[in-house]
Structure formats: structure tokens, C-alpha cells
Amino acid sequence: MTGDDVPRSFPSAVDVAIVGSGPTGAAYARVLSELSPGTTLAVFEVGPALTDPPGMHVKNIADLDERLVAQRRSEGVHPHTATKAEAALTDPTKRVVRPGTHVLPDGFRQPGEDGIPALAMSSNVGGMGAHWTCACPRPGGAERIDARPDLDELLDEAERLLGVSRDPFGDAPYSDVVRERLGAEFDAERPADRYVRSMPLAVQRRADGALTWSGADVVFGDVTRDNPAATLFPEAQVRRVLVEHGRAVGVVVRDRRDGTDHEVRARFVVAAADAVRTPQLLHASGVRPPALGRYLNDQPQMVFAVRLRDVGSTAADQHDPRGDTAIVQQSGVSWVPYTDANPFHGQVMQLDASPVPIVGDVPAPGTVVGLGWFCGKDLQATDRVEFDDDAVDEFGMPKPLVHYTLTDRDRATLAQAARSVRRAADALGEALGDEPFVLPSGASLHYQGSTRMGAVDDGTSVCGPTSEVWDVEGLFVAGNGVIPTPMACNPTLTSVALAVAGAREIAARLAQGVETQTTSG
């Protein structure tokens, strides 16, 4: 798989065109490279390649300034992260913008609505997979997707592609303390498969003890990188999917290096951008099923902090001195799973800094932990992103306009989550602050539902069980937007699992020489 070649030329035709190089786009490339050798693949990414290999998680960049440069290059046309070489740009809206991401400059809230002011995206090879927390919990209860009865096997495969470790910090000095106290508080009221446990993480510990965090590079894997039939095109913006007689037949790509447009024919097209830009691309292509952009789901998020009670300092040689990897080394990452009775998902991990001043002695590393509770949204069709054909965004595409409101049920869930967070804090130790606080909508970065999956074409979904868009043969969608349920847990593992199913479907049709849409799951 080639990448950042200069000069370069675009192919006139490929078997599969993949739009987006994040974890789900990479999953399509990986599975097709494994199951269908010789299939020609082109992966198009609007942003630049940050690393070699392409798609690496920026936390694996040892030099801090190099990491900041990589984050800055991910931030679209108006970067904001400060580096030694480049000054930060001031966001006049004063909205919180995380390094490596960029927010919608406007259109994120409509009059009389709550909106999603912190809605953000990343524009780089690897997408948000270059910046994510690597948390890979499995969905449960109402989070699960009925249209995929084989979901558990797909999740197993997603764990393989992402390099997931079930208990990567099981030997952290305070991890047992945190889990035991949380388990004593919560386990009695939940089924055994939803007990408190370690958070599965897409991270590997090397022989020297250092950590390697998974990005899209891990999902691509050597099999894709070594595949001469697979090509990655950074700074290549797909502006339109070509549809003829109800079938996707290719894409129109703009080379962002020189502004030229190129038509690339394809037997299959996979739109694997994000929960805003995938429906945006379909809209711009004239593919507009009734549910496109609807049922938008941003997990309402609540945070708190606590100082662990009755724990002593660990020996200095047990503390990891390597900067931000130490955030999870002392207390681990613990998971309080979603249940239908408690429709939120919690993760508890060490903080690198307390959100409030601490009076008295300086706490030992790992003894101040953050509690983050993510709530399942009350799904409604009116929560949506729509697109203005008379105005364009910073990338020259139809401008997104977000309609979003919290319901009475959402507020009740937040109140229930606040009580749960307080219980967790009291079980662990001394709360830092008076009450948990709700982050601005969009802070979760876990946007879902805008290209949602359904078992049947009844107007409430965009794609079927294989992720193929209804009534457009050969066009598949991927990413968190495909998830149709009120999922509260981190969605990447599930999105990659659904991408595996879609890639298998394409591989099977390529093997059979079949390109027509099927109704099988």
C-alpha cells in the first residue's frame, strides 16, 4: 500500500473505492486484502498523512513537539494547537476544542434547540483513530444491534483488527482497589456479564514496558501495507459518489494539493468518513433516503473526580516516568458497563491533573481518578444533521446544520447518572468538587445514527444489515453513524465489527462475480 507519494496519479478504475482512512475504512481495506487478494483498492483521505506508517496513533510519537505538529495538521483549514514552530489560532467562539480535532464554525445549534456545540472531527490519515482513547467495551442490552445476530463473532474479529487487550493494566498498583470498590458498590444489582471490570483497550505493552496505542495503522496491518493492489491517497477529497441506474459506479476526487478533479470508477464504494461527513457525501451525491442524517446520537457526558481513600504511595520505581502514558499506569482503567436499568456507561481512570485545587499534601500518582459517565440518548428522528445546498462548509461541501434537543427522558437519565457517579465517588474516596458536571454536547466525540442500519427498509434506516445503502447497489456506509441503537459505550469496536461484516459481503460478491444488492444479513 503506497501513501504520500509526490508526484502521484489517480487510477481510472478500481474494484473498491474507500472514502475515509479511519478505523472502519482501514477495516474494509484489511479484510478485503485478506479475503480477496488481487482486488484493487483505493483509500481516499481528505487530510494529510501524519506518520510513517500512515494512521499511527499520535500518542506513539515520542517527541512532544512532533506530536503537537501532528495534532495541528489534523485540525482542518483553521488549526489551533500551539507548537514551538507555529502559534495557536484563537477560537472566537471560546468553545473547547481538543488537540487534533476541529469543530463546526457555525450551524451547530438552531434557534430554540440545545444543539451540539462541541461537535468535532479530525481530518488526517487515520481519522479520529489517531487521537482516540482506545477504549473498546462491548455493547449490552439495548445497545446491541438486532440486525446482526452474529454480533459477538464480529466483535471478536474487531478486537483482532484493533489489537485489543482485555486487561492491559491489570498489574497497575491501584487497579484492584478501584475495581473492588466499584464492584462492591454496583455488582449486586446487575447481571454477571455486566459486572465492573477492566476496560478493554486497543493497546499493546512492548517488551521494554512501553505502550503502543492502536491507530488505523494497526487495523491496516502488514497485509494491507504489503498489498500492491491497495493504494492510500492522502489529501484527496471525495466530493461525490457516482450513481448510475441505482448503482454506485465510482467517485469524483479532488486532489487537495493542486485542486484538480478526477473520476475514479469502482465496482463498490465504501463511504467511511464520520457521522457528519458520510451523510454529507451521500447528500451531495443525490443519495437522500428519508433517514439520512436523522436519529443523530451524541452521548450526554458527565464527569467527576475523586481522591482514592486509604491507599499509600507506591515505590518510586513503580511509577512510569514517560509522560502521558503514566495517566493509566497507576490506577488502570476500570469499566462500569451499561445496563438497561442503568442506561449509561462509566469509565474510571487516573487523571494527569486534578480539575480542582487540592489542599494539603500532593497526591501520589494514580490516587486522583476521573469518573466519566456516558448516557444513552433518547433517539428521535428530529435529532439530525441536514445540509444546505445554497451554502458550503470550509471544504466546499454542502454546509451542515445540526438540529438537536435533549428530551425529558434524557434529563432523567442524566439525573440518574449523577446519582450513580456520586455513589462511585463515595465508594472510592474523597470527591473533589461538589457535584458531577455535564460537559457540552458533543464532548463525547461518539456521534452515531446518521447513516443508521436497519433490518428492513421502512424509512427509519439508511442501510441494511450488511451496511449497503438501501436502493443504491454497491454503496456501503461505515463508521459510528451506522450504529442504530442508543449506545452509551465507546462505539469504535462496534463500528469496526459492522465494517467487518460489510467487507465480507463485498469479498463474497467479488468472489462470485456478483455486484447486485442482496437481502441477506
Side-chain angles (χ1 to χ4, degrees):
M1 182 168 103
T2 56
D4 207 16
D5 299 326
V6 180
R8 61 178 177 178
S9 61
F10 291 86
S12 59
V14 294
D15 291 317
V16 184
I18 301 171
V19 185
S21 62
T24 57
Y28 269 86
R30 169 74 170 272
V31 173
L32 287 167
S33 293
E34 291 178 340
L35 298 183
S36 188
T39 294
T40 53
L41 310 172
V43 181
F44 301 102
E45 171 57 54
V46 68
L50 309 176
T51 57
D52 184 15
M56 188 172 73
H57 200 300
V58 298
K59 284 178 69 172
N60 298 327
I61 302 174
D63 182 89
L64 177 58
D65 200 57
E66 289 181 11
R67 187 185 310 168
L68 293 173
V69 169
Q71 290 171 326
R72 185 180 178 90
R73 295 183 68 210
S74 305
E75 295 168 354
V77 298
H78 297 298
H80 55 86
T81 291
T83 69
K84 293 177 183 177
E86 301 172 292
L89 298 179
T90 301
D91 179 4
T93 68
K94 304 300 182 185
R95 287 180 287 150
V96 175
V97 186
R98 298 188 190 183
T101 72
H102 53 100
V103 297
L104 293 180
D106 52 35
F108 53 84
R109 181 190 292 120
Q110 307 311 312
E113 299 178 356
D114 296 298
I116 309 183
L119 191 153
M121 57 201 77
S122 295
S123 297
N124 54 274
V125 172
M128 199 73 77
H131 312 283
W132 66 313
T133 64
C134 295
C136 290
R138 291 193 176 211
E143 294 181 303
R144 292 178 61 85
I145 301 166
D146 292 339
R148 294 300 325 189
D150 58 347
L151 182 61
D152 288 317
E153 186 274 327
L154 294 173
L155 291 167
D156 289 342
E157 181 68 355
E159 287 186 343
R160 177 181 76 91
L161 298 185
L162 286 162
V164 173
S165 299
R166 295 289 180 88
D167 188 13
F169 304 113
D171 58 350
Y174 305 127
S175 61
D176 288 344
V177 170
V178 171
R179 284 195 298 276
E180 287 171 3
R181 292 179 183 178
L182 291 173
E185 180 65 31
F186 293 117
D187 284 352
E189 60 196 43
R190 52 184 55 227
D193 64 345
R194 297 273 98 185
Y195 280 178
V196 173
R197 65 193 68 187
S198 293
M199 175 69 77
L201 295 168
V203 63
Q204 299 294 318
R205 190 189 297 273
R206 301 198 298 267
D208 63 358
L211 304 173
T212 300
W213 299 88
S214 294
D217 64 319
V218 172
V219 182
F220 279 124
D222 289 338
V223 68
T224 310
R225 284 187 289 271
D226 295 342
N227 182 359
T231 308
L232 170 65
F233 293 94
E235 299 173 87
Q237 180 190 13
V238 174
R239 298 179 62 81
R240 188 157 50 94
V241 177
L242 298 172
V243 179
E244 298 175 359
H245 308 295
R247 175 166 184 81
V249 297
V251 295
V252 175
V253 185
R254 176 162 297 174
D255 188 341
R256 289 181 55 82
R257 296 175 181 174
D258 62 15
T260 58
D261 288 342
H262 305 264
E263 182 176 300
V264 179
R265 306 290 284 190
R267 297 169 66 185
F268 296 92
V269 175
V270 179
D274 53 43
V276 172
R277 288 182 285 190
T278 291
Q280 181 186 52
L281 175 61
L282 268 60
H283 177 93
S285 306
V287 178
R288 302 177 182 182
L292 186 68
R294 292 187 177 272
Y295 301 95
L296 184 62
N297 171 11
D298 165 53
Q299 300 166 345
Q301 182 182 0
M302 176 177 299
V303 297
F304 205 30
V306 64
R307 184 174 181 174
L308 297 179
R309 178 192 308 115
D310 299 328
V311 295
S313 298
T314 60
D317 61 1
Q318 288 182 282
H319 294 166
D320 190 319
R322 290 164 297 172
D324 68 359
T325 57
I327 293 174
V328 294
Q329 290 278 32
Q330 303 304 315
S331 54
V333 183
S334 296
W335 173 30
V336 182
Y338 169 103
T339 69
D340 290 339
N342 296 280
F344 32 79
H345 141 92
Q347 53 193 52
V348 180
M349 61 190 293
Q350 179 179 337
L351 291 177
D352 53 345
S354 171
V356 298
I358 297 177
V359 179
D361 60 307
V362 177
T367 60
V368 174
V369 296
L371 294 79
W373 259 234
F374 299 82
C375 299
K377 180 73 172 69
D378 182 16
L379 301 184
Q380 48 186 359
T382 52
D383 289 334
R384 68 194 187 278
V385 55
E386 61 184 21
F387 303 97
D388 187 345
D389 288 318
D390 297 322
V392 296
D393 67 7
E394 296 167 309
F395 290 91
M397 297 290 283
K399 182 178 177 178
L401 300 171
V402 175
H403 293 269
Y404 197 79
T405 58
L406 296 177
T407 68
D408 290 343
R409 182 176 176 182
D410 289 325
R411 293 184 179 89
T413 299
L414 279 167
Q416 184 182 357
R419 294 190 292 271
S420 176
V421 171
R422 283 295 331 202
R423 288 176 59 191
D426 291 344
L428 290 171
E430 172 191 353
L432 302 178
D434 296 327
E435 295 294 337
F437 59 94
V438 178
L439 295 181
S441 292
S444 74
L445 303 179
H446 297 164
Y447 323 120
Q448 304 161 48
S450 56
T451 53
R452 70 200 306 248
M453 176 181 289
V456 296
D457 183 11
D458 60 1
T460 66
S461 59
V462 171
C463 66
T466 63
S467 299
E468 189 170 18
V469 174
W470 299 117
D471 297 328
V472 184
E473 297 174 358
L475 175 58
F476 289 70
V477 286
N480 294 343
V482 177
I483 296 173
T485 57
M487 186 173 288
C489 72
N490 312 63
T492 301
L493 180 73
T494 301
S495 296
V496 171
L498 299 179
V500 168
R504 288 174 175 174
E505 175 70 14
I506 292 175
R509 293 201 217 167
L510 288 167
Q512 298 168 7
V514 176
E515 298 180 9
T516 56
Q517 190 169 19
T518 66
T519 58
S520 64

